[in-house]
Amino acid sequence: MSVATFSLDDLVADLDDWSVVPADVESASRDRSGSPIGPAAIVVRAGSVEQVQATLRFAHQHGIAVVPRGAGSGVAGGAVAGSGSIVLDLSRLDRIVEVRADDQVAVVEPGVITADLDAAAGAHGLFYAPDPGSVGISTIGGNIATNAGGLRGAKYGVTRDAVLSLDVVLADGRLVTVGRETLKRVTGYDLLGLLVGSEGTLGVVVRATLRLLPRPVATSTVAAYFAGIDEAAAAAIAVRSSGVRPVVLEIVDGPTLAAIDALEDTRLRANGAAFLLAQTDGHAAAIEADVIAEVLAPLATYVETSDDPVESARLMTARRQALPALERIGRVVIEDIAVPPSRLAEAIRGIHAIADETGARIFVFAHAGDGNVHPILVVDGDELPAYAIEAVDRIFALALSLGGTLTGEHGVGLLKRDWVAQEVGGVVDGLQRAIKSLFDPAGILNPGKAI
Amino acid sequence: MSVATFSLDDLVADLDDWSVVPADVESASRDRSGSPIGPAAIVVRAGSVEQVQATLRFAHQHGIAVVPRGAGSGVAGGAVAGSGSIVLDLSRLDRIVEVRADDQVAVVEPGVITADLDAAAGAHGLFYAPDPGSVGISTIGGNIATNAGGLRGAKYGVTRDAVLSLDVVLADGRLVTVGRETLKRVTGYDLLGLLVGSEGTLGVVVRATLRLLPRPVATSTVAAYFAGIDEAAAAAIAVRSSGVRPVVLEIVDGPTLAAIDALEDTRLRANGAAFLLAQTDGHAAAIEADVIAEVLAPLATYVETSDDPVESARLMTARRQALPALERIGRVVIEDIAVPPSRLAEAIRGIHAIADETGARIFVFAHAGDGNVHPILVVDGDELPAYAIEAVDRIFALALSLGGTLTGEHGVGLLKRDWVAQEVGGVVDGLQRAIKSLFDPAGILNPGKAI
């Protein structure tokens, strides 16, 4: 794509903040995936919906790629910008327009940091449920683009479950609203669900009405250790069968426990070769934690329960410190497969086998409540070595062979697009491309991502 | 559409059960909407996925409309068949293929009756959460086509929330799978969500993998009466703010209570001019019911709580007998708007005003947990009188003016399609039609429905 056939002057006339300074453009062309960048021709920092519309009209007219961007915290390359493209940075659109307590909704712009929305909701006795690991840095727009999950998903679901309606600028600059500020609605097709998770390839979200929930009156924590992954995975199934739906249900493998011990001077690994963390919330948090502890007792080497926040924080160390501990060993590459709950043990054992066979250092933790497994590769240097690439490919193949998916919550981005057709099949792949063409006939919106 | 340009002999050669007998075709061309029918040219009772594919290939080749059909229990005209069309009856595909307890899923064919799936799940200690009023007669395929809701939606959501993957025959006869048997997945676009609720206009579901949940160990019931609708609606908001998410949260208006009294010899209306029913379930059902009862006490004229099944059944009379009581007065026309929770009182008061002004007899009950209001018109005779049509039109206008929707759970079908563009806007209406053309270029799948 060339910038020679048009003048950026025509674009910037409608803008109040943009840059073509190489350092600005280069940093705006990256995300946390480490994927190679173009870099882009210009970064537009949109200050209004009208500026988003003007940018897309210009790009549509001239056939220029537009890469929408929030905080750039994505790990799948969804916000990586190719040469000559326009980076459309939405982080200035960061107003929490309103929180309506009676309806339990917030109306926000896409640049709002997820944790800031949660804090604003808190002032009304409410909270925003989706809590990706990046909650302190990622934007709502990015969360919507990737249909972000998080720890609390076991009970509260993912971002799509929290989105009631969206204002979206289409590829040609038209502004539409999809969805409705009702909790239920079956008028027409679910374009709202289609847009959530589409990684900026079908439209650019400029406003969202999001569902909030009452802030829980109490939280209880159960921490348990097991002889191995099979026992921990069986315990997770037992919890799911108990009739208690925990807010959080996380598994951490033995190598990760050992890594935390090495760096934190703890002795977690001595408790067992796999860790399971469960949290319950609400008026019955303590009762539900007791049910979980009873279910776990016969399966575990060690179980501890607490309703006390300080004590709970200690019990959560084995999960909270997992990623920080691994980040201190080397550069981490976070993978993100999901499998049916009954295949969790096979998935984690398979990943350990891939580590042994390829020589890759791979640690595993998983959202056991929904079968979403994060294999964490630790590598040296910026380039991914060949054995690590082989390990990742084998992890994807393993996921598909277990009836699973390439990505549970991080998205396809650039990094996984070669695998999409294998997961969804050729006909569905074709339908996805046709839908992309329908929404974006000129192919300008985040080309080469998501599908 | 004419049947003269092709021979049905070519179609029926691939089938083992079909009829062109007028009485058969005519009854298969109707649903419970009372909408006028064609009738169709033939009813095909598909006995296999291959027969569904053969039927669609034939129809696609010859440009013949195909109207997929389950039990015909829909009330919006979604299964009404026009002249010369093929009714594709899926009720013979009624196998519960498997229930996998560890994964908490069932794999079923579309003709399975919803209550039968729930019963099969029960044998594994599980249940199927969506419970439309038609649960005893409607099929899973029909529930998926309309994204059916139900009483338990306040806690457990709607049919879309329970669908993990679908096998779908496309308009041209190709068979695809959308979704995956994982609880989380962000690979590609959400075609699964798009197909759910599309009323058979984008494809024909021939198999579904559905999410089940552990059967609750206990249920508690709270019944409360109020001086009026404003107080009851305020009470529903207070319950939603309490931090307890009830399974069921239903409002019944005073005229409906009086109708039950007249026919059941009860004295419900004497307790108050509006009724609120809440149910909680699970290990903490009793605690959660106590929280609700405490929240309601200062707002209500009368509150009663029970954990006993027989006593609970008595408390539920005012909701369970609502529709049967109205059906004994005359023919009922069930409407289905949804509004933001804070507008519930305005919606119900507005409906009462429309009843007064048009002279229509309208009774109201509502799923207060999600703002889904069912105005029930009671009329004499088969034809809808002019004043009733005016009342329905004004109810739709009221819903939209309150930020609501035409249909919360019943679907658009034939009956509401004239209103769709007004709700979604012209651009989104155009996108919906373009998606329809993409999936079904010949326009054969349930034409004139849903969008």
Side-chain angles (χ1 to χ4, degrees):
Chain A
M1 197 159 289
S2 161
V3 293
T5 56
F6 57 86
S7 165
L8 286 177
D9 293 346
D10 295 335
L11 169 60
V12 301
D14 289 323
L15 306 175
D16 67 351
D17 190 359
W18 51 274
S19 175
V20 292
V21 174
D24 292 346
V25 174
E26 201 164 300
S27 74
S29 298
R30 308 178 178 281
D31 65 11
R32 299 211 166 193
S33 64
S35 300
I37 58 160
I42 184 171
V43 50
V44 171
R45 302 183 193 104
S48 67
V49 172
E50 291 71 25
Q51 290 179 23
V52 173
Q53 293 183 277
T55 302
L56 287 174
R57 271 195 302 264
F58 178 84
H60 189 253
Q61 187 183 342
H62 297 291
I64 312 166
V66 175
V67 181
R69 176 183 185 82
S73 57
V75 294
V80 168
S83 289
S85 61
I86 298 171
V87 172
L88 179 54
D89 181 343
L90 298 152
S91 59
R92 284 176 68 204
L93 297 177
D94 64 351
R95 279 191 313 147
I96 296 172
V97 179
E98 59 173 336
V99 174
R100 293 207 307 273
D102 274 4
D103 281 326
Q104 299 181 2
V105 298
V107 180
V108 303
E109 293 182 332
V112 170
I113 301 295
T114 311
D116 291 347
L117 167 60
D118 190 46
H124 299 264
L126 301 167
F127 79 114
Y128 178 65
D131 62 337
S134 58
V135 67
I137 54 169
S138 64
T139 64
I140 290 295
N143 292 179
I144 292 169
T146 56
N147 188 22
L151 286 189
R152 294 192 287 230
K155 180 167 178 176
Y156 294 115
V158 294
T159 299
R160 185 177 286 123
D161 300 308
V163 179
L164 297 184
S165 88
L166 296 175
D167 286 357
V168 176
V169 178
L170 298 176
D172 59 10
R174 285 180 298 175
L175 178 65
V176 300
T177 299
V178 293
R180 200 85 176 160
E181 295 189 10
T182 54
L183 299 174
K184 242 166 142 182
R185 174 178 179 269
V186 292
T187 305
Y189 298 150
D190 184 19
L191 298 192
L192 180 70
L194 189 67
L195 281 153
V196 176
S198 66
E199 301 187 5
T201 64
L202 300 180
V204 177
V205 172
V206 291
R207 185 175 280 215
T209 301
L210 303 170
R211 186 173 185 161
L212 306 173
L213 292 169
R215 200 161 272 269
V217 295
T219 299
S220 295
T221 303
V222 184
Y225 289 83
F226 299 86
I229 281 295
D230 286 336
E231 291 81 358
I237 288 175
V239 170
R240 291 188 74 231
S241 300
S242 71
V244 172
R245 193 156 177 179
V247 181
V248 166
L249 188 64
E250 296 284 310
I251 278 183
V252 178
D253 73 350
T256 306
L257 297 174
I260 298 171
D261 286 343
L263 292 156
E264 300 275 331
D265 204 27
T266 47
R267 297 200 52 205
L268 304 173
R269 179 67 183 77
N271 291 326
F275 171 73
L276 189 71
L277 175 74
Q279 284 198 310
T280 57
D281 71 3
H283 294 279
I287 290 178
E288 293 189 342
D290 287 346
V291 171
I292 290 175
E294 266 174 54
V295 164
L296 297 182
L299 302 164
T301 53
Y302 176 80
V303 182
E304 200 177 342
T305 303
S306 178
D307 306 332
D308 174 69
V310 175
E311 193 58 15
S312 291
R314 186 182 63 76
L315 296 180
M316 292 176 73
T317 302
R319 177 61 183 82
R320 288 248 183 255
Q321 289 308 110
L323 195 57
L326 301 178
E327 283 172 336
R328 284 159 66 185
I329 304 177
R331 186 163 83 83
V332 301
V333 176
I334 307 176
E335 282 307 334
D336 173 46
I337 64 171
V339 295
S342 67
R343 315 304 290 271
L344 189 58
E346 278 170 274
I348 297 176
R349 276 194 277 105
I351 293 163
H352 287 160
I354 290 168
D356 289 344
E357 288 158 24
T358 59
R361 279 186 296 176
I362 314 181
F363 304 81
V364 181
F365 46 81
H367 307 311
D370 44 32
N372 188 185
V373 179
H374 291 306
I376 316 290
L377 283 80
V378 179
V379 297
D380 301 318
D382 279 350
E383 286 289 299
L384 214 55
Y387 70 85
I389 293 170
E390 187 199 335
V392 170
D393 276 353
R394 289 184 56 184
I395 289 169
F396 291 159
L398 172 69
L400 297 185
S401 76
L402 295 173
T405 176
L406 300 175
T407 174
E409 58 184 7
H410 292 169
V412 167
L414 267 180
L415 296 184
K416 297 179 187 174
R417 60 191 170 148
D418 291 344
W419 282 82
V420 170
Q422 200 167 324
E423 176 172 331
V424 303
V427 177
V428 169
D429 189 51
L431 283 171
Q432 294 189 154
R433 288 167 193 277
I435 287 173
K436 164 70 175 169
S437 296
L438 190 163
F439 276 80
D440 178 20
I444 61 164
L445 280 172
N446 215 6
K449 314 288 174 63
I451 57 169
Chain B
M1 195 160 288
S2 162
V3 293
T5 57
F6 57 87
S7 166
L8 286 177
D9 293 346
D10 295 334
L11 169 61
V12 302
D14 289 323
L15 305 176
D16 67 351
D17 191 0
W18 51 273
S19 176
V20 293
V21 174
D24 293 345
V25 174
E26 199 164 303
S27 74
S29 299
R30 307 178 178 280
D31 64 13
R32 298 210 167 194
S33 65
S35 299
I37 58 160
I42 184 171
V43 51
V44 171
R45 303 184 192 104
S48 67
V49 173
E50 292 71 25
Q51 291 179 22
V52 174
Q53 293 183 277
T55 303
L56 288 174
R57 271 195 301 266
F58 177 85
H60 188 254
Q61 188 184 340
H62 297 291
I64 311 166
V66 175
V67 181
R69 176 184 186 82
S73 57
V75 293
V80 167
S83 287
S85 59
I86 298 171
V87 172
L88 179 54
D89 180 343
L90 298 152
S91 59
R92 283 176 69 204
L93 298 176
D94 64 351
R95 278 191 314 146
I96 295 172
V97 179
E98 59 173 336
V99 174
R100 294 206 307 273
D102 274 4
D103 282 326
Q104 299 179 2
V105 298
V107 180
V108 303
E109 293 182 332
V112 170
I113 300 295
T114 311
D116 292 347
L117 167 60
D118 191 47
H124 298 263
L126 301 168
F127 78 113
Y128 178 65
D131 62 336
S134 57
V135 68
I137 54 168
S138 64
T139 64
I140 290 294
N143 292 179
I144 292 169
T146 55
N147 188 23
L151 286 190
R152 295 193 287 230
K155 179 168 179 177
Y156 294 115
V158 294
T159 299
R160 185 177 285 123
D161 300 308
V163 180
L164 297 182
S165 88
L166 294 175
D167 288 356
V168 176
V169 178
L170 299 177
D172 59 9
R174 287 180 297 175
L175 178 66
V176 300
T177 299
V178 293
R180 199 85 176 160
E181 295 189 11
T182 55
L183 298 175
K184 243 165 139 180
R185 174 176 180 271
V186 292
T187 304
Y189 299 149
D190 184 20
L191 299 192
L192 179 71
L194 189 67
L195 281 154
V196 176
S198 64
E199 302 187 3
T201 62
L202 301 179
V204 177
V205 172
V206 291
R207 184 176 280 217
T209 301
L210 303 171
R211 186 173 185 160
L212 305 173
L213 291 168
R215 200 162 272 267
V217 296
T219 299
S220 294
T221 303
V222 185
Y225 289 82
F226 298 85
I229 281 296
D230 287 333
E231 292 80 0
I237 289 176
V239 170
R240 291 188 74 233
S241 301
S242 70
V244 171
R245 194 158 175 177
V247 180
V248 166
L249 188 63
E250 296 284 310
I251 279 183
V252 178
D253 74 350
T256 306
L257 296 175
I260 298 171
D261 285 343
L263 292 155
E264 300 276 331
D265 204 24
T266 48
R267 296 201 50 206
L268 305 173
R269 180 65 183 78
N271 292 326
F275 172 73
L276 189 70
L277 174 75
Q279 283 198 312
T280 58
D281 70 3
H283 295 280
I287 289 179
E288 293 189 343
D290 287 346
V291 171
I292 290 175
E294 267 174 52
V295 164
L296 297 183
L299 302 164
T301 53
Y302 176 79
V303 182
E304 198 175 345
T305 303
S306 178
D307 306 332
D308 174 70
V310 175
E311 194 57 14
S312 291
R314 186 184 59 78
L315 296 181
M316 293 176 73
T317 303
R319 176 62 182 83
R320 288 249 181 255
Q321 289 307 108
L323 195 56
L326 300 178
E327 283 171 336
R328 284 159 66 186
I329 304 178
R331 186 164 83 83
V332 300
V333 176
I334 306 177
E335 281 308 332
D336 173 46
I337 64 170
V339 295
S342 68
R343 316 302 292 271
L344 190 59
E346 278 168 275
I348 298 176
R349 276 193 278 106
I351 293 162
H352 288 159
I354 290 168
D356 289 345
E357 289 158 23
T358 60
R361 277 187 296 179
I362 314 182
F363 303 81
V364 182
F365 46 83
H367 308 311
D370 44 31
N372 189 183
V373 179
H374 291 306
I376 315 291
L377 282 80
V378 179
V379 297
D380 301 317
D382 279 349
E383 286 288 299
L384 214 55
Y387 70 86
I389 293 170
E390 187 199 334
V392 170
D393 276 354
R394 289 185 57 184
I395 288 169
F396 291 160
L398 172 70
L400 297 185
S401 76
L402 295 173
T405 177
L406 299 175
T407 172
E409 59 185 6
H410 292 169
V412 167
L414 268 180
L415 295 185
K416 297 180 188 175
R417 62 190 170 150
D418 291 343
W419 282 82
V420 170
Q422 199 166 324
E423 176 173 331
V424 304
V427 178
V428 169
D429 190 51
L431 284 170
Q432 294 189 155
R433 288 168 192 277
I435 287 173
K436 165 69 176 171
S437 295
L438 190 164
F439 276 80
D440 178 20
I444 61 165
L445 281 172
N446 215 5
K449 314 287 173 65
I451 59 169

